[in-house]
Amino acid sequence: MGDVTDIRERGREETVVTTVPGAHAGRGRTVSLFWRIFSLNALGLVVAACLLLGPVTVSTPVLPAEALVVVVGLALLLVGNALVLRAGLTPLRRLAGAMAAADLLHPGARAEVAGPAEVADLIITYNTMLERLERERAAGAGLALSAQERERHRIARELHDEVGQTLTAVLLQLKRVADRTPEGLRAEVGQAQEATRAGLDEIRRIARRLRPGVLEELGLVSALRSLAGEFTTHGLTVRHHVPGDLPPLTEESELVLYRVAQEGLTNTARHSGADRAELRLRPVTGGVELLVRDNGAGLAAAREGAGIRGMRERALLVGADLHLGPGLETGTEVRLRVPATGTEGARR
């Protein structure tokens, strides 16, 4: 039974070590913190014993020369212990800093494996745990966003089929009423018609945002062009440059590109105070790059809200790189670089 336990323990150690590149080599060259401190203390005690047995003696009362030797020896021992502890605990301080700065929405950062064997084991375990957390978060975010898309489709369908049809019926009924309404009341009935028509248009606009049918029917290029036109409203002009010759993308990548562009333009329209925005999609080495830029107030010191966090989570789902920062002169710039795939052609 003891042999089986030893084999399992060795198996767990090998699994942990191979998780981080270079970890095995680092441990092979490392002396544990215990042996470092013990060796230094033992060396100091052995030297002190040899000196006391040899030329150094302590008289009563203590002579100044003897006190000086004892004080110098104690100081050297303390300095040596301090140096060993500082060298041994520095990797722990770096690990604490890495743990404090860790953000699952900015994956890939790992603590450097260094220091005594115990500290190296701790850092390896932390890096392994962080990798597992990043995988689990990405999987959980994928399930949550898939459920969110399904719920958006359901709400959009109900808005279009139920509320939209009801408002259409009300609009037709108001038209019949207007034909038989006395002259003095026709203006009020006309206002009710206009309000109903505006509500119907708003319902359709919300349904289109919830479920981008143009993306499913006509593809990414047409969807982004339509999105730019939708956000070109009073006070905001959105210029777009979306070529048709894009590398192959998966449906998930196209949906991520569309949602990030939609969120970027929504933030521009609501919060930036900009009057000009730009939407670009261009092929780059290994994929495509989406750019959403405006001339508004910029991010300043504002904290990232749910919209930006959602963009980061969507980018992680398809292995994309998302960068948010200031524009060329003013405003905000959103860059999303999505890798292409050679297994599925892009829809046009």
Side-chain angles (χ1 to χ4, degrees):
M1 186 66 181
D3 295 339
V4 174
T5 303
D6 292 341
I7 292 173
R8 290 176 178 174
E9 292 296 330
R10 287 197 298 271
R12 280 197 293 268
E13 291 179 0
E14 292 173 359
T15 301
V16 171
V17 169
T18 54
T19 303
V20 180
H24 188 273
R27 289 184 60 190
R29 297 190 303 268
T30 304
V31 180
S32 70
L33 184 61
F34 168 79
W35 284 111
R36 288 186 181 187
I37 299 176
F38 176 79
S39 300
L40 182 62
N41 289 334
L43 177 62
L45 292 175
V46 168
V47 171
C50 293
L51 292 175
L52 290 174
L53 293 175
V56 177
T57 58
V58 179
S59 304
T60 305
V62 179
L63 299 176
E66 295 172 344
L68 179 62
V69 171
V70 173
V71 171
V72 171
L74 179 61
L76 291 176
L77 186 61
L78 292 176
V79 170
N81 274 278
L83 292 177
V84 170
L85 287 175
R86 177 175 293 277
L89 297 178
T90 295
L92 283 179
R93 288 197 296 270
R94 288 200 297 264
L95 174 61
M99 295 174 69
D103 187 353
L104 295 181
L105 290 180
H106 299 78
R110 297 290 181 268
E112 178 185 358
V113 180
E118 298 94 334
V119 178
D121 286 341
L122 179 61
I123 297 175
I124 291 170
T125 303
Y126 166 74
N127 287 339
T128 304
M129 179 191 68
L130 190 59
E131 289 179 358
R132 185 173 66 249
L133 288 175
E134 288 176 356
R135 291 194 301 268
E136 292 176 355
R137 180 181 176 86
L143 293 175
L145 291 175
S146 297
Q148 183 185 77
E149 288 296 331
R150 290 194 298 271
E151 185 66 11
R152 285 184 171 189
H153 285 193
R154 184 188 67 80
I155 295 174
R157 186 172 57 251
E158 291 185 359
L159 285 175
H160 183 273
D161 295 344
E162 302 295 333
V163 182
Q165 291 182 5
T166 300
L167 289 178
T168 301
V170 171
L171 196 60
L172 294 175
Q173 185 66 27
L174 286 173
K175 185 178 183 303
R176 287 194 294 268
V177 170
D179 294 338
R180 300 192 300 268
T181 300
E183 188 67 27
L185 296 177
R186 286 187 179 179
E188 296 182 7
V189 175
Q191 292 176 359
Q193 286 180 294
E194 291 301 321
T196 304
R197 188 176 292 108
L200 181 59
D201 292 340
E202 183 66 14
I203 289 294
R204 289 172 176 170
R205 184 185 63 82
I206 294 174
R208 284 196 303 270
R209 288 195 177 184
L210 289 173
R211 182 176 180 268
V214 64
L215 177 62
E216 299 176 355
E217 298 167 4
L218 301 179
L220 178 64
V221 172
S222 298
L224 290 179
R225 291 171 179 170
S226 175
L227 186 67
E230 181 180 343
F231 277 90
T232 299
T233 57
H234 299 290
L236 179 63
T237 301
V238 181
R239 295 185 304 170
H240 68 273
H241 178 71
V242 186
D245 53 342
L246 297 176
L249 297 168
T250 63
E251 292 186 4
E252 291 79 8
S253 296
E254 290 188 353
L255 182 59
V256 168
L257 285 165
Y258 180 85
R259 290 300 189 193
V260 170
Q262 185 182 51
E263 183 63 32
L265 290 176
T266 299
N267 289 339
T268 296
R270 291 180 178 176
H271 309 299
S272 71
D275 59 2
R276 295 192 313 275
E278 181 182 6
L279 173 63
R280 288 181 176 269
L281 185 68
R282 63 187 183 95
V284 295
T285 302
V288 298
E289 183 181 71
L290 173 73
L291 171 65
V292 181
R293 179 190 295 158
D294 62 59
N295 66 339
L299 292 173
R303 297 179 59 185
E304 292 189 357
I308 295 179
R309 290 196 299 270
M311 286 194 287
R312 294 194 184 281
E313 290 180 348
R314 289 183 183 277
L316 291 177
L317 291 179
V318 294
D321 294 326
L322 179 69
H323 172 74
L324 288 89
L328 296 177
E329 297 180 357
T330 60
T332 305
E333 181 178 281
V334 178
R335 287 184 181 271
L336 178 70
R337 180 165 293 193
V338 178
T341 175
T343 60
E344 180 177 333
R347 295 175 299 171
R348 295 290 182 261

